[in-house]
Amino acid sequence: MKKLLLLFSFVNFFSIGYSQSNASDSSGSKWHPSVGINLEPVPVYDISGADTSFVNSFSIAPYFSYRNDNGIGIMYSPKFVMGGATPGIYVHVITAGIEQYGKKVWDYVLDYSHYFFTGNTSIPYTPLNNEIYSSLTYKKSWIRPFIQAGVGFGKDTENVSSTSAYDVGATIGISHAFSWDKNNASYLISPSVTLNAGTNQYFSLLNITKYIGRSTKFTQIVKNSVAAAAATRSATANRRGRNTGGSSPTGGGTTTTTTTSSFIPAESFNLNNIGLGIESEIDLGSFGIRPTANVYLPVSSFAGIGVISYWQLSFEYNF
């Protein structure tokens, strides 16, 4: 209940922010399409004899976005995995919401995404096919504080009882933007430091927990063995899923157990790691390039995992 109240508070806050923005310049709002492509890692199964582990593969995600001057819009993105047993499309993502950047005082985001998984057996299973994501950045100070929160939810069809599943994540941090113009191009570099916390029950592709969904070390983080046991399940079960194409609608493969890992209580909200990140941006008129890199230093019960890294490279053209 407390998590639902927290979610409601964020939704209410951003609704107020949107109504104020809409009231100020809705009369002149125009719609703008854009196209782009995101490149990033995604873990896939690696089977050698009777051993099952994970390696990072290459994910290519073209996207089309249609958004107005108030930030309201929708985006569609099919994602393709280049490795694993069955390279190809593994999920279609549709995102709708409001995103406001470039304002003088606040940048803010409130998005809802639905993940239409194709059943590709290269990637791990996840029951979380819905996400509500929000972020807020204060920009008037030299050091910019920001907060992000997200909720993922869906149905755990790997359980016999097909129970509801959810994960909650939150980030607080500070950043500073170094920006300049040169030779008809705009440049930005923004280093950041964050504290990241979450419930970490499942593997997922949620935006709020990229240190799980883009890392081969997720089996040492997630608490629900529907996901964690995938790394040690029998090779026979995995090959059966690959050969028949059989899997749940929300991810790849099948699992054989539904017990919960005992080293951390399920559903507890824990501080996971300290993040060190850098975002950069090059804008050449209507064309933009946005490289991102993050290093996560696990803390508390996760300290023995070792450093987790994540990168993304985006290209975008605005019409």
Side-chain angles (χ1 to χ4, degrees):
M1 181 60 70
K2 290 182 179 179
K3 296 184 179 74
L4 292 177
L5 290 175
L6 175 64
L7 174 60
F8 175 79
S9 298
F10 268 90
V11 172
N12 185 57
F13 174 82
F14 283 109
S15 297
I16 294 173
Y18 161 68
S19 64
Q20 291 175 342
S21 172
N22 191 49
S24 63
D25 58 1
S26 60
S27 59
S29 179
K30 296 181 180 179
W31 290 84
H32 309 278
S34 62
V35 296
I37 188 168
N38 288 324
L39 310 176
E40 62 183 358
V42 66
V44 297
Y45 289 110
D46 181 35
I47 299 175
S48 177
D51 297 325
T52 302
S53 59
F54 293 93
V55 295
N56 271 334
S57 184
F58 200 46
S59 175
I60 300 178
Y63 64 86
F64 172 79
S65 176
Y66 196 58
R67 198 169 296 277
N68 70 11
D69 294 332
N70 294 321
I72 300 174
I74 189 168
M75 183 179 73
Y76 164 68
S77 177
K79 297 190 176 187
F80 299 81
V81 62
M82 297 295 101
T86 53
I89 190 166
Y90 62 97
V91 65
H92 301 267
V93 184
I94 294 180
T95 300
I98 178 171
E99 300 182 5
Q100 279 283 19
Y101 301 104
K103 298 298 183 180
K104 292 183 178 180
V105 181
W106 300 100
D107 282 347
Y108 55 89
V109 174
L110 177 63
D111 281 337
Y112 165 75
S113 297
H114 187 80
Y115 299 81
F116 296 90
F117 288 95
T118 64
N120 189 310
T121 52
S122 291
I123 65 167
Y125 166 79
T126 175
L128 306 181
N129 59 352
N130 300 277
E131 179 182 17
I132 297 175
Y133 171 81
S134 59
S135 71
L136 178 68
T137 302
Y138 179 71
K139 301 172 61 178
K140 290 288 285 185
S141 57
W142 193 83
I143 297 294
R144 298 179 175 181
F146 62 90
I147 184 171
Q148 302 167 347
V151 178
F153 55 95
K155 280 285 186 181
D156 184 0
T157 56
E158 294 293 277
N159 259 319
V160 176
S161 57
S162 188
T163 58
S164 296
Y166 72 92
D167 258 332
V168 177
T171 294
I172 59 172
I174 56 174
S175 66
H176 175 72
F178 299 92
S179 60
W180 67 96
D181 298 325
K182 185 177 181 180
N183 298 331
N184 298 319
S186 298
Y187 301 86
L188 181 144
I189 296 177
S190 180
S192 63
V193 179
T194 59
L195 294 176
N196 304 287
T199 51
N200 307 336
Q201 294 194 79
Y202 299 95
F203 172 83
S204 72
L205 300 178
L206 302 180
N207 289 304
I208 194 64
T209 53
K210 291 182 177 180
Y211 50 87
I212 292 178
R214 279 72 170 180
S215 171
T216 58
K217 296 182 179 181
F218 75 89
T219 56
Q220 302 175 64
I221 302 174
V222 296
K223 305 167 189 175
N224 192 307
S225 65
V226 167
T232 55
R233 69 186 179 177
S234 69
T236 302
N238 192 48
R239 289 194 182 96
R240 183 168 59 249
R242 287 161 44 191
N243 293 337
T244 63
S247 67
S248 77
T250 54
T254 57
T255 55
T256 57
T257 178
T258 58
T259 58
T260 300
S261 176
S262 59
F263 78 103
I264 301 176
E267 301 188 21
S268 60
F269 192 83
N270 301 100
L271 177 64
N272 300 326
N273 56 69
I274 299 171
L276 304 175
I278 185 165
E279 296 184 13
S280 53
E281 186 174 319
I282 303 173
D283 285 325
L284 303 164
S286 298
F287 181 70
I289 305 173
R290 296 174 179 81
T292 301
N294 290 276
V295 173
Y296 301 99
L297 309 175
V299 297
S300 187
S301 301
F302 305 99
I305 295 175
V307 174
I308 298 170
S309 60
Y310 162 74
W311 62 268
Q312 184 182 64
L313 179 60
S314 299
F315 302 89
E316 182 175 275
Y317 184 83
N318 296 288
F319 293 94

PDB file of all heavy atoms in Angstrom, residues 142-177:
ATOM      1  N   TRP A 142      24.103  25.176  -9.655  1.00  0.00           N
ATOM      2  CA  TRP A 142      25.248  24.649 -10.390  1.00  0.00           C
ATOM      3  C   TRP A 142      25.284  23.131 -10.297  1.00  0.00           C
ATOM      4  O   TRP A 142      25.537  22.434 -11.285  1.00  0.00           O
ATOM      5  CB  TRP A 142      26.539  25.244  -9.832  1.00  0.00           C
ATOM      6  CG  TRP A 142      27.731  25.015 -10.688  1.00  0.00           C
ATOM      7  CD1 TRP A 142      28.109  25.749 -11.779  1.00  0.00           C
ATOM      8  CD2 TRP A 142      28.713  23.975 -10.539  1.00  0.00           C
ATOM      9  NE1 TRP A 142      29.279  25.234 -12.323  1.00  0.00           N
ATOM     10  CE2 TRP A 142      29.677  24.153 -11.583  1.00  0.00           C
ATOM     11  CE3 TRP A 142      28.888  22.935  -9.634  1.00  0.00           C
ATOM     12  CZ2 TRP A 142      30.774  23.317 -11.718  1.00  0.00           C
ATOM     13  CZ3 TRP A 142      29.984  22.095  -9.791  1.00  0.00           C
ATOM     14  CH2 TRP A 142      30.908  22.288 -10.816  1.00  0.00           C
ATOM     15  N   ILE A 143      25.034  22.606  -9.099  1.00  0.00           N
ATOM     16  CA  ILE A 143      24.848  21.166  -8.900  1.00  0.00           C
ATOM     17  C   ILE A 143      23.357  20.875  -8.996  1.00  0.00           C
ATOM     18  O   ILE A 143      22.554  21.430  -8.251  1.00  0.00           O
ATOM     19  CB  ILE A 143      25.382  20.708  -7.523  1.00  0.00           C
ATOM     20  CG1 ILE A 143      26.893  20.938  -7.445  1.00  0.00           C
ATOM     21  CG2 ILE A 143      25.052  19.233  -7.276  1.00  0.00           C
ATOM     22  CD1 ILE A 143      27.700  20.088  -8.392  1.00  0.00           C
ATOM     23  N   ARG A 144      22.991  20.015  -9.917  1.00  0.00           N
ATOM     24  CA  ARG A 144      21.575  19.747 -10.181  1.00  0.00           C
ATOM     25  C   ARG A 144      21.119  18.475  -9.463  1.00  0.00           C
ATOM     26  O   ARG A 144      21.538  17.370  -9.834  1.00  0.00           O
ATOM     27  CB  ARG A 144      21.341  19.595 -11.676  1.00  0.00           C
ATOM     28  CG  ARG A 144      21.675  20.847 -12.485  1.00  0.00           C
ATOM     29  CD  ARG A 144      21.451  20.614 -13.963  1.00  0.00           C
ATOM     30  NE  ARG A 144      21.664  21.838 -14.747  1.00  0.00           N
ATOM     31  CZ  ARG A 144      21.514  21.926 -16.059  1.00  0.00           C
ATOM     32  NH1 ARG A 144      21.168  20.840 -16.749  1.00  0.00           N
ATOM     33  NH2 ARG A 144      21.707  23.071 -16.677  1.00  0.00           N
ATOM     34  N   PRO A 145      20.273  18.599  -8.439  1.00  0.00           N
ATOM     35  CA  PRO A 145      19.724  17.393  -7.805  1.00  0.00           C
ATOM     36  C   PRO A 145      18.597  16.804  -8.656  1.00  0.00           C
ATOM     37  O   PRO A 145      17.874  17.531  -9.337  1.00  0.00           O
ATOM     38  CB  PRO A 145      19.178  17.920  -6.476  1.00  0.00           C
ATOM     39  CG  PRO A 145      18.837  19.345  -6.749  1.00  0.00           C
ATOM     40  CD  PRO A 145      19.820  19.831  -7.781  1.00  0.00           C
ATOM     41  N   PHE A 146      18.479  15.491  -8.629  1.00  0.00           N
ATOM     42  CA  PHE A 146      17.388  14.860  -9.374  1.00  0.00           C
ATOM     43  C   PHE A 146      16.923  13.598  -8.649  1.00  0.00           C
ATOM     44  O   PHE A 146      17.643  13.024  -7.813  1.00  0.00           O
ATOM     45  CB  PHE A 146      17.810  14.527 -10.809  1.00  0.00           C
ATOM     46  CG  PHE A 146      18.946  13.553 -10.923  1.00  0.00           C
ATOM     47  CD1 PHE A 146      18.725  12.178 -10.987  1.00  0.00           C
ATOM     48  CD2 PHE A 146      20.263  14.011 -10.992  1.00  0.00           C
ATOM     49  CE1 PHE A 146      19.781  11.285 -11.102  1.00  0.00           C
ATOM     50  CE2 PHE A 146      21.322  13.128 -11.116  1.00  0.00           C
ATOM     51  CZ  PHE A 146      21.078  11.769 -11.175  1.00  0.00           C
ATOM     52  N   ILE A 147      15.704  13.192  -8.978  1.00  0.00           N
ATOM     53  CA  ILE A 147      15.110  11.975  -8.412  1.00  0.00           C
ATOM     54  C   ILE A 147      14.380  11.238  -9.519  1.00  0.00           C
ATOM     55  O   ILE A 147      13.789  11.861 -10.410  1.00  0.00           O
ATOM     56  CB  ILE A 147      14.157  12.307  -7.237  1.00  0.00           C
ATOM     57  CG1 ILE A 147      13.628  11.018  -6.604  1.00  0.00           C
ATOM     58  CG2 ILE A 147      13.028  13.223  -7.689  1.00  0.00           C
ATOM     59  CD1 ILE A 147      12.861  11.256  -5.314  1.00  0.00           C
ATOM     60  N   GLN A 148      14.471   9.922  -9.487  1.00  0.00           N
ATOM     61  CA  GLN A 148      13.787   9.077 -10.455  1.00  0.00           C
ATOM     62  C   GLN A 148      13.078   7.955  -9.700  1.00  0.00           C
ATOM     63  O   GLN A 148      13.564   7.486  -8.672  1.00  0.00           O
ATOM     64  CB  GLN A 148      14.780   8.482 -11.454  1.00  0.00           C
ATOM     65  CG  GLN A 148      15.588   9.504 -12.215  1.00  0.00           C
ATOM     66  CD  GLN A 148      16.767   8.905 -12.952  1.00  0.00           C
ATOM     67  OE1 GLN A 148      17.138   7.761 -12.729  1.00  0.00           O
ATOM     68  NE2 GLN A 148      17.366   9.688 -13.840  1.00  0.00           N
ATOM     69  N   ALA A 149      11.950   7.526 -10.209  1.00  0.00           N
ATOM     70  CA  ALA A 149      11.216   6.415  -9.590  1.00  0.00           C
ATOM     71  C   ALA A 149      10.511   5.626 -10.676  1.00  0.00           C
ATOM     72  O   ALA A 149      10.107   6.176 -11.708  1.00  0.00           O
ATOM     73  CB  ALA A 149      10.213   6.920  -8.564  1.00  0.00           C
ATOM     74  N   GLY A 150      10.384   4.334 -10.464  1.00  0.00           N
ATOM     75  CA  GLY A 150       9.709   3.491 -11.430  1.00  0.00           C
ATOM     76  C   GLY A 150       9.051   2.297 -10.780  1.00  0.00           C
ATOM     77  O   GLY A 150       9.498   1.805  -9.740  1.00  0.00           O
ATOM     78  N   VAL A 151       7.960   1.850 -11.390  1.00  0.00           N
ATOM     79  CA  VAL A 151       7.236   0.654 -10.934  1.00  0.00           C
ATOM     80  C   VAL A 151       7.023  -0.246 -12.146  1.00  0.00           C
ATOM     81  O   VAL A 151       6.506   0.202 -13.180  1.00  0.00           O
ATOM     82  CB  VAL A 151       5.877   1.007 -10.307  1.00  0.00           C
ATOM     83  CG1 VAL A 151       5.138  -0.265  -9.896  1.00  0.00           C
ATOM     84  CG2 VAL A 151       6.046   1.921  -9.110  1.00  0.00           C
ATOM     85  N   GLY A 152       7.465  -1.497 -12.045  1.00  0.00           N
ATOM     86  CA  GLY A 152       7.193  -2.483 -13.074  1.00  0.00           C
ATOM     87  C   GLY A 152       6.225  -3.523 -12.539  1.00  0.00           C
ATOM     88  O   GLY A 152       6.316  -3.918 -11.372  1.00  0.00           O
ATOM     89  N   PHE A 153       5.309  -3.977 -13.386  1.00  0.00           N
ATOM     90  CA  PHE A 153       4.321  -4.958 -12.905  1.00  0.00           C
ATOM     91  C   PHE A 153       3.839  -5.825 -14.057  1.00  0.00           C
ATOM     92  O   PHE A 153       3.986  -5.483 -15.234  1.00  0.00           O
ATOM     93  CB  PHE A 153       3.145  -4.254 -12.216  1.00  0.00           C
ATOM     94  CG  PHE A 153       2.460  -3.200 -13.054  1.00  0.00           C
ATOM     95  CD1 PHE A 153       1.328  -3.491 -13.794  1.00  0.00           C
ATOM     96  CD2 PHE A 153       2.963  -1.909 -13.104  1.00  0.00           C
ATOM     97  CE1 PHE A 153       0.695  -2.532 -14.554  1.00  0.00           C
ATOM     98  CE2 PHE A 153       2.349  -0.924 -13.868  1.00  0.00           C
ATOM     99  CZ  PHE A 153       1.214  -1.237 -14.599  1.00  0.00           C
ATOM    100  N   GLY A 154       3.272  -6.971 -13.690  1.00  0.00           N
ATOM    101  CA  GLY A 154       2.761  -7.917 -14.674  1.00  0.00           C
ATOM    102  C   GLY A 154       2.303  -9.184 -13.984  1.00  0.00           C
ATOM    103  O   GLY A 154       2.103  -9.216 -12.766  1.00  0.00           O
ATOM    104  N   LYS A 155       2.147 -10.270 -14.755  1.00  0.00           N
ATOM    105  CA  LYS A 155       1.721 -11.573 -14.246  1.00  0.00           C
ATOM    106  C   LYS A 155       2.874 -12.559 -14.335  1.00  0.00           C
ATOM    107  O   LYS A 155       3.500 -12.711 -15.385  1.00  0.00           O
ATOM    108  CB  LYS A 155       0.527 -12.100 -15.052  1.00  0.00           C
ATOM    109  CG  LYS A 155      -0.808 -11.508 -14.675  1.00  0.00           C
ATOM    110  CD  LYS A 155      -1.300 -12.080 -13.356  1.00  0.00           C
ATOM    111  CE  LYS A 155      -2.702 -11.588 -13.046  1.00  0.00           C
ATOM    112  NZ  LYS A 155      -3.178 -12.116 -11.745  1.00  0.00           N
ATOM    113  N   ASP A 156       3.149 -13.234 -13.214  1.00  0.00           N
ATOM    114  CA  ASP A 156       4.203 -14.238 -13.180  1.00  0.00           C
ATOM    115  C   ASP A 156       3.617 -15.565 -13.649  1.00  0.00           C
ATOM    116  O   ASP A 156       3.135 -16.369 -12.849  1.00  0.00           O
ATOM    117  CB  ASP A 156       4.773 -14.356 -11.762  1.00  0.00           C
ATOM    118  CG  ASP A 156       5.948 -15.310 -11.692  1.00  0.00           C
ATOM    119  OD1 ASP A 156       6.312 -15.872 -12.742  1.00  0.00           O
ATOM    120  OD2 ASP A 156       6.510 -15.493 -10.600  1.00  0.00           O
ATOM    121  N   THR A 157       3.662 -15.815 -14.951  1.00  0.00           N
ATOM    122  CA  THR A 157       3.068 -17.024 -15.513  1.00  0.00           C
ATOM    123  C   THR A 157       3.922 -18.259 -15.298  1.00  0.00           C
ATOM    124  O   THR A 157       3.487 -19.374 -15.592  1.00  0.00           O
ATOM    125  CB  THR A 157       2.834 -16.837 -17.022  1.00  0.00           C
ATOM    126  OG1 THR A 157       4.073 -16.489 -17.648  1.00  0.00           O
ATOM    127  CG2 THR A 157       1.819 -15.723 -17.275  1.00  0.00           C
ATOM    128  N   GLU A 158       5.150 -18.112 -14.787  1.00  0.00           N
ATOM    129  CA  GLU A 158       5.980 -19.264 -14.470  1.00  0.00           C
ATOM    130  C   GLU A 158       5.530 -19.917 -13.166  1.00  0.00           C
ATOM    131  O   GLU A 158       5.861 -21.058 -12.898  1.00  0.00           O
ATOM    132  CB  GLU A 158       7.441 -18.846 -14.364  1.00  0.00           C
ATOM    133  CG  GLU A 158       8.039 -18.366 -15.682  1.00  0.00           C
ATOM    134  CD  GLU A 158       8.145 -19.499 -16.690  1.00  0.00           C
ATOM    135  OE1 GLU A 158       9.123 -20.250 -16.638  1.00  0.00           O
ATOM    136  OE2 GLU A 158       7.234 -19.621 -17.517  1.00  0.00           O
ATOM    137  N   ASN A 159       4.794 -19.188 -12.331  1.00  0.00           N
ATOM    138  CA  ASN A 159       4.203 -19.756 -11.132  1.00  0.00           C
ATOM    139  C   ASN A 159       2.946 -20.525 -11.505  1.00  0.00           C
ATOM    140  O   ASN A 159       2.174 -20.081 -12.373  1.00  0.00           O
ATOM    141  CB  ASN A 159       3.836 -18.653 -10.134  1.00  0.00           C
ATOM    142  CG  ASN A 159       4.869 -18.525  -9.029  1.00  0.00           C
ATOM    143  OD1 ASN A 159       5.368 -19.515  -8.515  1.00  0.00           O
ATOM    144  ND2 ASN A 159       5.191 -17.287  -8.685  1.00  0.00           N
ATOM    145  N   VAL A 160       2.708 -21.626 -10.842  1.00  0.00           N
ATOM    146  CA  VAL A 160       1.513 -22.429 -11.122  1.00  0.00           C
ATOM    147  C   VAL A 160       0.251 -21.606 -10.888  1.00  0.00           C
ATOM    148  O   VAL A 160      -0.720 -21.679 -11.629  1.00  0.00           O
ATOM    149  CB  VAL A 160       1.497 -23.700 -10.243  1.00  0.00           C
ATOM    150  CG1 VAL A 160       0.202 -24.474 -10.462  1.00  0.00           C
ATOM    151  CG2 VAL A 160       2.705 -24.568 -10.559  1.00  0.00           C
ATOM    152  N   SER A 161       0.279 -20.754  -9.863  1.00  0.00           N
ATOM    153  CA  SER A 161      -0.881 -19.944  -9.520  1.00  0.00           C
ATOM    154  C   SER A 161      -0.987 -18.664 -10.350  1.00  0.00           C
ATOM    155  O   SER A 161      -1.948 -17.920 -10.213  1.00  0.00           O
ATOM    156  CB  SER A 161      -0.839 -19.572  -8.040  1.00  0.00           C
ATOM    157  OG  SER A 161       0.365 -18.885  -7.742  1.00  0.00           O
ATOM    158  N   SER A 162       0.004 -18.378 -11.210  1.00  0.00           N
ATOM    159  CA  SER A 162       0.016 -17.186 -12.057  1.00  0.00           C
ATOM    160  C   SER A 162      -0.244 -15.934 -11.232  1.00  0.00           C
ATOM    161  O   SER A 162      -1.225 -15.234 -11.414  1.00  0.00           O
ATOM    162  CB  SER A 162      -1.030 -17.322 -13.173  1.00  0.00           C
ATOM    163  OG  SER A 162      -0.900 -16.265 -14.095  1.00  0.00           O
ATOM    164  N   THR A 163       0.654 -15.652 -10.314  1.00  0.00           N
ATOM    165  CA  THR A 163       0.480 -14.548  -9.378  1.00  0.00           C
ATOM    166  C   THR A 163       0.926 -13.217  -9.985  1.00  0.00           C
ATOM    167  O   THR A 163       1.657 -13.162 -10.965  1.00  0.00           O
ATOM    168  CB  THR A 163       1.295 -14.796  -8.101  1.00  0.00           C
ATOM    169  OG1 THR A 163       2.684 -14.950  -8.462  1.00  0.00           O
ATOM    170  CG2 THR A 163       0.824 -16.048  -7.395  1.00  0.00           C
ATOM    171  N   SER A 164       0.468 -12.138  -9.363  1.00  0.00           N
ATOM    172  CA  SER A 164       0.891 -10.810  -9.775  1.00  0.00           C
ATOM    173  C   SER A 164       2.347 -10.592  -9.382  1.00  0.00           C
ATOM    174  O   SER A 164       2.820 -11.092  -8.363  1.00  0.00           O
ATOM    175  CB  SER A 164       0.019  -9.741  -9.114  1.00  0.00           C
ATOM    176  OG  SER A 164      -1.318  -9.853  -9.541  1.00  0.00           O
ATOM    177  N   ALA A 165       3.068  -9.845 -10.205  1.00  0.00           N
ATOM    178  CA  ALA A 165       4.484  -9.573  -9.950  1.00  0.00           C
ATOM    179  C   ALA A 165       4.722  -8.080 -10.090  1.00  0.00           C
ATOM    180  O   ALA A 165       4.090  -7.410 -10.906  1.00  0.00           O
ATOM    181  CB  ALA A 165       5.355 -10.345 -10.927  1.00  0.00           C
ATOM    182  N   TYR A 166       5.646  -7.567  -9.288  1.00  0.00           N
ATOM    183  CA  TYR A 166       5.991  -6.160  -9.397  1.00  0.00           C
ATOM    184  C   TYR A 166       7.396  -5.931  -8.860  1.00  0.00           C
ATOM    185  O   TYR A 166       7.941  -6.718  -8.097  1.00  0.00           O
ATOM    186  CB  TYR A 166       4.993  -5.285  -8.630  1.00  0.00           C
ATOM    187  CG  TYR A 166       5.117  -5.382  -7.133  1.00  0.00           C
ATOM    188  CD1 TYR A 166       5.930  -4.499  -6.419  1.00  0.00           C
ATOM    189  CD2 TYR A 166       4.433  -6.369  -6.421  1.00  0.00           C
ATOM    190  CE1 TYR A 166       6.068  -4.596  -5.043  1.00  0.00           C
ATOM    191  CE2 TYR A 166       4.553  -6.476  -5.051  1.00  0.00           C
ATOM    192  CZ  TYR A 166       5.372  -5.587  -4.361  1.00  0.00           C
ATOM    193  OH  TYR A 166       5.511  -5.700  -3.004  1.00  0.00           O
ATOM    194  N   ASP A 167       7.990  -4.844  -9.270  1.00  0.00           N
ATOM    195  CA  ASP A 167       9.250  -4.345  -8.724  1.00  0.00           C
ATOM    196  C   ASP A 167       9.172  -2.833  -8.645  1.00  0.00           C
ATOM    197  O   ASP A 167       8.580  -2.178  -9.514  1.00  0.00           O
ATOM    198  CB  ASP A 167      10.444  -4.748  -9.600  1.00  0.00           C
ATOM    199  CG  ASP A 167      11.220  -5.924  -9.026  1.00  0.00           C
ATOM    200  OD1 ASP A 167      11.208  -6.085  -7.788  1.00  0.00           O
ATOM    201  OD2 ASP A 167      11.834  -6.673  -9.805  1.00  0.00           O
ATOM    202  N   VAL A 168       9.799  -2.268  -7.613  1.00  0.00           N
ATOM    203  CA  VAL A 168       9.846  -0.823  -7.414  1.00  0.00           C
ATOM    204  C   VAL A 168      11.305  -0.401  -7.357  1.00  0.00           C
ATOM    205  O   VAL A 168      12.124  -1.063  -6.712  1.00  0.00           O
ATOM    206  CB  VAL A 168       9.125  -0.410  -6.111  1.00  0.00           C
ATOM    207  CG1 VAL A 168       9.247   1.089  -5.873  1.00  0.00           C
ATOM    208  CG2 VAL A 168       7.669  -0.826  -6.156  1.00  0.00           C
ATOM    209  N   GLY A 169      11.656   0.668  -8.036  1.00  0.00           N
ATOM    210  CA  GLY A 169      13.018   1.189  -8.009  1.00  0.00           C
ATOM    211  C   GLY A 169      13.018   2.692  -7.830  1.00  0.00           C
ATOM    212  O   GLY A 169      12.060   3.380  -8.200  1.00  0.00           O
ATOM    213  N   ALA A 170      14.084   3.214  -7.243  1.00  0.00           N
ATOM    214  CA  ALA A 170      14.205   4.659  -7.041  1.00  0.00           C
ATOM    215  C   ALA A 170      15.669   5.058  -7.101  1.00  0.00           C
ATOM    216  O   ALA A 170      16.560   4.289  -6.731  1.00  0.00           O
ATOM    217  CB  ALA A 170      13.597   5.075  -5.710  1.00  0.00           C
ATOM    218  N   THR A 171      15.909   6.275  -7.574  1.00  0.00           N
ATOM    219  CA  THR A 171      17.253   6.833  -7.686  1.00  0.00           C
ATOM    220  C   THR A 171      17.236   8.284  -7.225  1.00  0.00           C
ATOM    221  O   THR A 171      16.330   9.041  -7.599  1.00  0.00           O
ATOM    222  CB  THR A 171      17.751   6.772  -9.138  1.00  0.00           C
ATOM    223  OG1 THR A 171      17.906   5.411  -9.535  1.00  0.00           O
ATOM    224  CG2 THR A 171      19.085   7.491  -9.296  1.00  0.00           C
ATOM    225  N   ILE A 172      18.207   8.664  -6.412  1.00  0.00           N
ATOM    226  CA  ILE A 172      18.438  10.069  -6.114  1.00  0.00           C
ATOM    227  C   ILE A 172      19.884  10.378  -6.475  1.00  0.00           C
ATOM    228  O   ILE A 172      20.763   9.512  -6.347  1.00  0.00           O
ATOM    229  CB  ILE A 172      18.164  10.430  -4.644  1.00  0.00           C
ATOM    230  CG1 ILE A 172      19.049   9.606  -3.699  1.00  0.00           C
ATOM    231  CG2 ILE A 172      16.702  10.257  -4.310  1.00  0.00           C
ATOM    232  CD1 ILE A 172      18.954  10.054  -2.248  1.00  0.00           C
ATOM    233  N   GLY A 173      20.138  11.597  -6.970  1.00  0.00           N
ATOM    234  CA  GLY A 173      21.492  11.889  -7.395  1.00  0.00           C
ATOM    235  C   GLY A 173      21.720  13.361  -7.648  1.00  0.00           C
ATOM    236  O   GLY A 173      20.823  14.198  -7.504  1.00  0.00           O
ATOM    237  N   ILE A 174      22.938  13.669  -8.031  1.00  0.00           N
ATOM    238  CA  ILE A 174      23.328  15.021  -8.399  1.00  0.00           C
ATOM    239  C   ILE A 174      24.127  14.960  -9.689  1.00  0.00           C
ATOM    240  O   ILE A 174      24.782  13.952  -9.989  1.00  0.00           O
ATOM    241  CB  ILE A 174      24.163  15.706  -7.294  1.00  0.00           C
ATOM    242  CG1 ILE A 174      25.390  14.863  -6.942  1.00  0.00           C
ATOM    243  CG2 ILE A 174      23.318  15.987  -6.064  1.00  0.00           C
ATOM    244  CD1 ILE A 174      26.353  15.533  -5.968  1.00  0.00           C
ATOM    245  N   SER A 175      24.079  16.053 -10.451  1.00  0.00           N
ATOM    246  CA  SER A 175      24.811  16.113 -11.705  1.00  0.00           C
ATOM    247  C   SER A 175      25.177  17.566 -12.000  1.00  0.00           C
ATOM    248  O   SER A 175      24.681  18.501 -11.349  1.00  0.00           O
ATOM    249  CB  SER A 175      23.981  15.548 -12.861  1.00  0.00           C
ATOM    250  OG  SER A 175      22.856  16.370 -13.110  1.00  0.00           O
ATOM    251  N   HIS A 176      26.025  17.748 -12.962  1.00  0.00           N
ATOM    252  CA  HIS A 176      26.332  19.088 -13.465  1.00  0.00           C
ATOM    253  C   HIS A 176      26.495  19.002 -14.969  1.00  0.00           C
ATOM    254  O   HIS A 176      27.109  18.058 -15.490  1.00  0.00           O
ATOM    255  CB  HIS A 176      27.612  19.664 -12.852  1.00  0.00           C
ATOM    256  CG  HIS A 176      27.991  20.993 -13.445  1.00  0.00           C
ATOM    257  ND1 HIS A 176      27.287  22.141 -13.170  1.00  0.00           N
ATOM    258  CD2 HIS A 176      28.974  21.342 -14.322  1.00  0.00           C
ATOM    259  CE1 HIS A 176      27.827  23.151 -13.837  1.00  0.00           C
ATOM    260  NE2 HIS A 176      28.846  22.686 -14.544  1.00  0.00           N
ATOM    261  N   ALA A 177      25.928  19.980 -15.680  1.00  0.00           N
ATOM    262  CA  ALA A 177      25.976  19.986 -17.138  1.00  0.00           C
ATOM    263  C   ALA A 177      27.015  20.980 -17.639  1.00  0.00           C
ATOM    264  O   ALA A 177      26.930  22.176 -17.341  1.00  0.00           O
ATOM    265  CB  ALA A 177      24.600  20.325 -17.700  1.00  0.00           C
TER     266      ALA A 177
END
